Structure formats: structure tokens, C-alpha cells
Amino acid sequence: MQTDLLVKLIPLFPLLGFLINGLGFRRVPNGLVGLVSSAAALASFVCVALIFSGFAGPQPEKVLLFDWITVGNFNIPFSFQIDQLSLVMLLIVTGVGSLIHIYSIGYMHHDGGYGKFMAFLNLFLFFMLLLVMGSNYVIMFIGWEGVGLCSYLLIGFWNKNTAYNNAARKAFVMNRIGDLGFLLGIFMLMGVFGTVEYTGIFEQAGSGRFAIGDGTMVAITLLLFVGAMGKSAQIPLYTWLPDAMAGPTPVSALIHAATMVTAGIYMVVRSNVLYTLAPLTLEIIGGIAIATALLAASIGLVQNDIKKVLAYSTVSQLGYMFLGLSVMGYTAGMFHVMTHAFFKALLFLGAGSVIHAMSDEQDIRRMGGLRKYLPITFITFLIATIAIAGIPPFAGFFSKDEILMHVYEHNKVLWALGVVGSAMTSFYMFRLLFLTFFGRFRGTEHQREHLHESPATMTVPLLVLAVLSVLGGFLNVPEVLGGEARLAQFLSPIFDLSRKVAPNAFGETLLTHSDEYMLMGISTGVALIMAVAAYVVYVQRGVLPESDLVERPVTEKVLYNKYYIDELYETIIIKPMRGLSDVLYSFGEFLIDGIVSGTAWGVKGLAGGARRLQSGSISFYVFAMVVGIVLILGVRFFVRF
């Protein structure tokens, strides 16, 4: 099959799935809904796999759908670009996305809005594919906004719950703040380069027209990064992501693993030559990234909602990805996007399996001892926990270690802070595992009777993702461990222009093999020590988190309340804005009501006066006519015109 046709089919299948299930909501049989939706996602994955197997590279392949916007010499085509970066992202999005669709059949088929839910999932996938496949920033922005819309629809899917609606609205508003920065960045790109096509912009940027540190590049990259901060949940625009847990669990898996939150990472890697020209921006990204990683990890240490712990781990891991990008470890960042997609999807789907068995219970204080009731869920959750903790030879070890090695070369302090964050990650993830699956069962008798392993539609995706979480890291084994860094080799052409503008930054590593072994040993040792510490505390000593009603020490109280960031935003932003809005509303209401009421009163008065002239008296009419004639003659006599 021709590549052009395959490229066009990739987003078309999910769009068709959305139209069939969306338009046929409540009419399409339940047995067909999941089949249509999952088949659409799988068909896209097959198309991507076929393109990947036949991709020759190194130059990108462009597929023009139609000429879209033309103003004078400025043209924006609606076209797709297939290259090494988009192929990696497409494999992640359609591959993991397909597994989440299949899982949703088992998880959501009892829900009254099952057809609508599956339609929204397909629409989410469609927009994410547009974001990745577009050949210019405008198409990326359409996908960017589309996934924002779908996240709003899916987070607030159970819209009879006010708290869920508020969470959806929060996600929508915070992302719009970031999107404004992204949009301004695109406008600057238009003005500076005269195009929005990736190839046109990057070739000009890499031609020597801009020096490293150029102010224009710094401004553009900062504006684009504001968009990434919103979409990929970095300080200060991260608070929407933990609240996004309000949506059904497959949505959490899709948003956190394969789609929306990785969009910011993808955009920065796509724009790598621009960021290489702006080292100041990279330094700022590094600072924000490590602060985000540590803040989220510290909050995760004391959370008791199984999905909230995973949500804060996502925020923290996104910080690691940006940390890698900040030192121009673009491949390392993308590598962590890929491995994170495997184990984070596995963790969320595993959490969904637990919640499904526990009759919608999400508090790990009321779980315990589930490993004998949910053996497949337990084994796969354990694999994902080891992977995210960075313990070899699981996937997370290779990707996180590569990020930390790049950071070590650039800045030792950032590396040390990264290791601290890695230690916290290992501790809170094993804490979650032990409190959920070990010890005695702490739920109700009704919940105990309901405990059962999930159906095959849910466990099969868990098993596939578990295999990927074990083997995914071997796609980019470094030379020091006898590998060939195949992912780095595959993505290498994407960074040619960055190498051209900053050859020293992309030179051979200065680390010796001994250094690399030492760094691996430290990160692995820290992860293992924290895992053992969690085991001692929560299994051997049987410590349980306190009830919400118990007074906590100050430090724990601050962490448990998430540093009171939400309360701070409420005090310094939301309340003043709400007050200002009320004032403006009242003023507008007074002004507009005054104008409207005044106009009505004036018209009424004039009409009343005019009505009195129509009295029906002939003598009055004759008198008025004579007066009128006299006035006209008088005017005519005195005024010549």
C-alpha cells in the first residue's frame, strides 16, 4: 500500500470510530461499540507499523492533503510530516492507545454512557495524531487544542458530580493559560521566519542567521515553553493534572501515558534547533523541571488515593523529561517518554483493576492483602513499580539513568537533586505497592466478597504493557553496557541542525566508563535502599497512614495538603479575579440597564406627547395647520436657502 494513503488513514480511522459511536450513541449495540472503537485504534497502529517498517529516511516524507490558508505569499498547507520523531510518537500513541481502548471495553461496558465514552476516546486519539503528524505549528496547535477539549469532556465525563465538573473546568482553564503563550510563540515564528512549516523554520534557524543566545530565539522558545508548561503540567501550571483523576481510570491512563501530557515534550524536541539556540531558555526549563520533579515527588510520599499517588508521579516524571531536554539530552527525554508510557499506562490500568475489584474504593488505607485475590494485577503492578523506580534491567532504569548522566555532565547540583527525586519516587511507589497488595485486608466484608481478578479485556493489556515495561529499555542500551543505543541512532537525523549550530554540545561524552558505572550504581543503590525502607516500614512494621482526622506533624501536614498551592491560587488569583469580575459585572449591568431603561423612558415620553396631538378635534387640527403655515412662511422669509 502506498505510504501517502497509509499516512492519511492513520488519523482517519479514529475519526470514523468517533463518528460511528458518537452519532450512533444509544443506537449502536454495546457489543459493537468497543469493537468499533478498538478496531479503529488498532487499524491506525497497523498503518504506523507498516510505514515504520518501510521508512527509508533520513529525510522526512511530507503528504499534502490540501492547500489550506494562503494570504499573499504566506501559505499554510494542511499536510503531514513523517520522520523519525513522529514515527516514535505515533507508535507510542497508537500502540498504548489501542491497549487502553481494549481495556476500556471491560472497565466501562456497564456505564450508561459507554458509547459516548468510547467515541470521546477515539476523538482524543484523532487530535493527538493530528498534533504529532502535522508538518507545521498551526496543525500542531489544532491537535493541541483538540486534546485539550477532549480532556475536558473526559475528565468531566461523569458530569452529574460537581467536583468532577470543577476538575474538568480547572484542566481546561489552566491549559488555556499555557495555550496563550504557545499561540504568541507561533505568531512570533510567523513574523520572524515568514512561515510556520517545520522544515522552513528549522532550515533558516540552522543557517547561521541567528547566533546562540539570540534574544528573538529566547523569546520564541520561552513562549512555546509556556504552552508546554500547561500541557505537560510544570510549575506553576501543574495543579490540574492531579485533579484530572476525576475522569474514568482509562482516561487517566491515556492522558498520563500516551497522549496529552507528552505533547509539551514532543513540541520541545520537535523544536530542538530553536532551543539549542536559546541556552537561557534551557537553563530556565532545567530549574522549573527539577523544582517540579521534587515538589511532586514529595507530595506523592504521603498521598493515600491510589490514583493521586500516580498522578503526582506523572508530574514528577515529566519534570525528569524536561530536565533531560534542558541539557540537550533530547533523545534521553524522548526515551523516557516512551518507557514512561509503558509503565505509567500499566500502573493506571492496574489501579483501575484494583478499583474495579474494590467496588470503586480508591483509598489505599482501606485496601491491603490484594495480591492473593488479584494475582495478575499484582504481578504486573509490581513490574511497573520496579520499572518506574529505576531498578535494572527494567525500562525505567535505562531512560532515567540516561537523563541523569546527561545532567551530571552539565550540572552536578541538578544531578544530585535528580537522585533525591529518584529516591523519593522509589519510596512512594513501593509504599503504594505494599499498602495495596501486602498485609491484611482492611476493606469491608462486602468488598472482600466482591474481590476478583479483572476480565481478560482488562488483564491482557496489563500483560502486554508489563512485557513492554520489562523490555522497553533494551531499545536504547548504552555503549557502556554493550548496547548500540539504537533509539539514539534512529532519532539522530532529527538533531542534525542542532549539531550544526552547537557542535560542542553534541560531541562525545566526557564521562569515562567508570564514571558511568558509578552513576548507575548510585541511582540503582538509592532506588533499592528506598524500596527496602518502604518494605520495612509498611510490611515488617505494618505502619498504616493516619486518618484524615488525626493531627499531623507540620512537615507532613504541609505535604499532605500539597504545599497549600491550591489554596494559594485561590487566595491570590481566583478570589481577586472573582471580585473584579463581580464589580465589572455590576458596573456593566448598571450602565447597560441605565442606557436601555433611559432610552425606553425617553421613547415612552415622546410617544405619549405625540399621542396627545392626535386628539380627533377638527378645530385643533385647523389651528395646528395655520400655525404650521405661519412658521414655514416666517422661516422662508427670514432664512434664504
Side-chain angles (χ1 to χ4, degrees):
M1 193 178 289
Q2 290 182 343
T3 301
D4 285 13
L5 178 59
L6 287 172
V7 171
K8 292 172 184 173
L9 289 176
I10 292 171
L12 181 63
F13 283 124
L15 183 61
L16 288 175
F18 162 70
L19 292 175
I20 293 170
N21 283 331
L23 296 177
F25 175 52
R26 297 186 188 281
R27 296 183 183 84
V28 179
N30 269 7
L32 200 57
V33 166
L35 187 65
V36 169
S37 181
S38 301
L42 278 169
S44 293
F45 175 70
V46 171
C47 291
V48 175
L50 289 172
I51 294 171
F52 180 75
S53 64
F55 182 72
Q59 296 303 316
E61 296 178 14
K62 281 195 178 184
V63 177
L64 176 66
L65 274 71
F66 51 86
D67 283 327
W68 183 25
I69 298 173
T70 301
V71 180
N73 295 325
F74 188 81
N75 174 254
I76 304 177
F78 202 101
S79 55
F80 295 145
Q81 177 170 318
I82 299 298
D83 55 22
Q84 294 81 357
L85 180 60
S86 58
L87 277 173
V88 169
M89 279 298 290
L90 287 173
L91 285 169
I92 297 170
V93 172
T94 57
V96 177
S98 296
L99 293 171
I100 293 170
H101 276 70
I102 294 168
Y103 178 95
S104 301
I105 296 173
Y107 193 85
M108 293 294 292
H109 75 285
H110 289 308
D111 195 282
Y114 177 48
K116 184 171 65 174
F117 179 79
M118 297 305 282
F120 286 166
L121 279 191
N122 274 160
L123 188 64
F124 201 125
L125 200 61
F126 165 73
F127 278 120
M128 189 64 200
L129 293 172
L130 275 191
L131 189 156
V132 173
M133 296 175 68
S135 69
N136 58 61
Y137 283 97
V138 176
I139 298 178
M140 180 191 277
F141 189 72
I142 293 173
W144 193 276
E145 290 300 304
V147 293
L149 169 66
C150 291
S151 70
Y152 171 76
L153 296 173
L154 286 166
I155 293 168
F157 182 73
W158 289 317
N159 52 30
K160 292 182 181 176
N161 186 316
T162 304
Y164 294 177
N165 287 333
N166 289 339
R169 192 166 52 190
K170 185 176 183 180
F172 191 80
V173 171
M174 295 205 84
N175 271 281
R176 297 294 77 73
I177 295 170
D179 293 350
L180 176 62
F182 187 38
L183 197 57
L184 292 174
I186 294 174
F187 287 145
M188 275 200 76
L189 287 169
M190 288 181 184
V192 173
F193 295 100
T195 178
V196 288
E197 284 285 300
Y198 298 143
T199 50
I201 290 172
F202 301 154
E203 284 171 5
Q204 289 186 55
S207 66
R209 176 182 167 191
F210 300 95
I212 291 181
D214 183 273
T216 305
M217 289 298 103
V218 172
I220 289 174
T221 49
L222 280 174
L223 287 170
L224 294 178
F225 179 64
V226 171
M229 287 164 67
K231 204 59 81 185
S232 296
Q234 296 296 287
I235 292 174
L237 302 178
Y238 74 95
T239 56
W240 67 270
L241 191 57
D243 287 5
M245 297 300 95
T249 303
V251 174
S252 307
L254 194 62
I255 290 176
H256 286 244
T259 55
M260 186 167 161
V261 299
T262 60
I265 315 291
Y266 168 77
M267 185 270 290
V268 173
V269 177
R270 171 62 75 194
S271 314
N272 65 84
V273 64
L274 305 180
Y275 281 89
T276 302
L277 286 167
L280 177 61
T281 305
L282 291 176
E283 294 293 335
I284 293 170
I285 292 176
I288 291 174
I290 194 64
T292 304
L294 293 175
L295 179 135
S298 61
I299 294 173
L301 291 171
V302 294
Q303 295 303 304
N304 296 317
D305 184 307
I306 189 170
K307 288 175 67 177
K308 282 282 179 71
V309 176
L310 298 180
Y312 280 105
S313 85
T314 300
V315 177
S316 180
Q317 296 303 307
L318 289 167
Y320 276 100
M321 294 171 204
F322 278 113
L323 186 62
L325 302 186
S326 73
V327 292
M328 287 184 267
Y330 300 121
T331 299
M334 278 306 298
F335 188 24
H336 203 51
V337 167
M338 183 178 69
T339 60
H340 180 263
F342 300 151
F343 54 70
K344 186 49 61 70
L346 179 55
L347 286 167
F348 267 110
L349 297 187
S353 184
V354 169
I355 295 166
H356 181 74
M358 288 290 297
S359 307
D360 297 328
E361 178 62 71
Q362 294 187 195
D363 194 326
I364 56 178
R365 290 172 294 190
R366 291 192 278 274
M367 296 181 184
L370 296 183
R371 66 183 189 279
K372 63 182 177 182
Y373 300 103
L374 314 172
I376 298 175
T377 302
F378 165 63
I379 293 294
T380 53
F381 203 93
L382 172 63
I383 289 171
T385 302
I386 296 173
I388 194 174
I391 296 173
F394 289 41
F397 162 74
F398 292 99
S399 55
K400 192 184 293 185
D401 190 67
E402 189 170 331
I403 287 174
L404 289 176
M405 270 199 266
H406 278 288
V407 175
Y408 182 81
E409 277 195 279
H410 182 78
N411 187 318
K412 303 292 187 296
V413 175
L414 280 181
W415 170 79
L417 293 173
V419 172
V420 171
S422 181
M424 288 194 283
T425 302
S426 180
F427 186 83
Y428 69 69
M429 284 308 304
F430 277 99
R431 171 183 178 269
L432 179 65
L433 178 84
F434 295 141
L435 287 173
T436 304
F437 294 100
F438 288 72
R440 61 178 177 80
F441 181 69
R442 301 181 294 276
T444 63
E445 197 55 36
H446 171 73
Q447 288 171 328
R448 185 196 297 276
E449 292 171 0
H450 186 259
L451 288 174
H452 62 279
E453 186 56 276
S454 299
T457 48
M458 294 169 66
T459 53
V460 169
L462 294 181
L463 292 169
V464 175
L465 286 166
V467 172
L468 293 170
S469 298
V470 174
L471 302 177
F474 291 95
L475 293 171
N476 199 42
V477 178
E479 183 196 344
V480 66
L481 295 178
E484 298 175 352
R486 290 185 177 177
L487 181 66
Q489 290 181 19
F490 181 70
L491 289 175
S492 180
I494 297 295
F495 311 118
D496 282 345
L497 289 171
S498 281
R499 270 191 289 271
K500 184 178 174 185
V501 299
N504 293 334
F506 289 85
E508 291 292 324
T509 176
L510 299 176
L511 297 178
T512 64
H513 283 187
S514 298
D515 293 333
E516 294 186 51
Y517 285 130
M518 177 197 71
L519 295 175
M520 288 181 196
I522 291 174
S523 59
T524 304
V526 165
L528 286 172
I529 290 169
M530 288 297 108
V532 172
Y535 180 81
V536 170
V537 173
Y538 296 106
V539 179
Q540 281 193 341
R541 297 182 183 175
V543 173
L544 290 176
E546 300 284 359
S547 162
D548 289 344
L549 303 176
V550 174
E551 188 65 26
R552 302 165 190 274
V554 174
T555 307
E556 186 181 342
K557 191 175 180 180
V558 170
L559 293 178
Y560 193 71
N561 288 289
K562 299 162 282 188
Y563 293 96
Y564 296 98
I565 299 291
D566 282 319
E567 289 78 1
L568 180 67
Y569 285 178
E570 177 75 22
T571 303
I572 65 171
I573 298 175
I574 297 174
K575 281 185 178 175
M577 288 298 292
R578 191 179 291 141
L580 180 63
S581 300
D582 289 343
V583 170
L584 292 174
Y585 174 77
S586 301
F587 177 73
E589 191 176 40
F590 172 77
L591 183 66
I592 292 171
D593 281 1
I595 293 172
V596 172
S597 299
T599 304
W601 181 83
V603 171
K604 183 181 177 182
L606 286 173
R611 181 175 58 79
R612 291 193 186 92
L613 294 176
Q614 302 299 318
S615 61
S617 170
I618 300 297
S619 58
F620 176 76
Y621 292 156
V622 171
F623 174 73
M625 183 178 70
V626 171
V627 170
I629 291 171
V630 170
L631 284 174
I632 292 170
L633 290 175
V635 169
R636 188 72 180 85
F637 181 79
F638 291 106
V639 181
R640 294 188 178 277
F641 51 88

